[in-house]
Amino acid sequence: MKILVFSDSHGNEDNMIRAVERERPSTLDAIVHLGDGWRDAEALHRLYPRIPLEQVPGNCDLGRFEERERVVFFGDCRVLLCHGHTLGVKSSLLRASYEARERGAQALLYGHTHIPHIDYHDGLWLVNPGSIGDHRRPSYGVLTVEEDKLSPANFTLE
């Protein structure tokens, strides 16, 4: 499976479209949006309805009452999705890591900081795709899943 991961689009749908096209829509099994651009993700889904969309709301997605953190499965992998503002990711990843471990996740996908980040510690991937809405250096993530193994990568949209 190949999953495209976005966060913090802040109205920049064009960058998301460029990333989808760069990664070739026919190769994508899902798109994840980690908040601060709920409507952007919905607009993207209308353009690519064949690609399943998973999303969580961010602190700028006013009026959204969906779960702030939720577990999804990609293949046999359990992944915790969150924007990160409710788990304090700007100050530390400790609380978010504990939440992911409590829920039995193999990966935590989070946003909010606008800083791309990948780390692996004691069986847990911590992945932030950065901000696809950044006008200077937009970035996104790609999560490759084979059975019960995850492999994350971050890319800058040139």
Side-chain angles (χ1 to χ4, degrees), residues 6-136:
F6 295 124
S7 189
D8 298 280
S9 51
H10 295 287
N12 196 330
E13 295 169 24
D14 290 342
N15 279 355
M16 290 193 303
I17 293 167
R18 287 177 49 217
V20 169
E21 291 301 322
R22 181 181 185 186
E23 296 298 328
R24 299 188 338 258
S26 63
T27 68
L28 297 174
D29 296 294
I31 294 174
V32 171
H33 195 290
L34 300 170
D36 284 359
W38 188 277
R39 289 182 181 158
D40 306 338
E42 288 178 333
L44 186 71
H45 188 60
R46 284 191 294 276
L47 290 174
Y48 302 97
R50 177 200 80 68
I51 307 170
L53 171 67
E54 300 286 349
Q55 64 179 328
V56 290
N59 57 299
C60 294
D61 294 317
L62 303 175
R64 304 301 324 177
F65 299 103
E66 291 79 6
E67 288 180 276
R68 302 285 185 220
E69 299 94 28
R70 67 186 186 92
V71 171
V72 297
F73 284 88
F74 296 118
D76 294 332
C77 295
R78 180 185 291 250
V79 177
L80 179 61
L81 308 180
C82 70
H83 183 63
H85 62 294
T86 59
L87 296 174
V89 299
K90 281 193 176 179
S91 58
S92 168
L93 292 177
L94 192 60
R95 193 164 139 214
S97 296
Y98 284 148
E99 182 71 22
R101 290 180 194 287
E102 264 186 27
R103 294 188 185 214
Q106 291 168 265
L108 166 70
L109 302 184
Y110 70 99
H112 192 50
T113 67
H114 294 209
I115 301 168
H117 177 255
I118 295 177
D119 193 16
Y120 184 78
H121 187 67
D122 290 336
L124 179 66
W125 283 104
L126 304 170
V127 181
N128 185 329
S131 171
I132 192 66
D134 189 303
H135 293 286
R136 293 172 310 235

Side-chain angles (χ1 to χ4, degrees), residues 125 142-145 149-153:
W125 283 104
V142 173
L143 193 64
T144 304
V145 179
K149 302 287 187 235
L150 295 167
S151 178

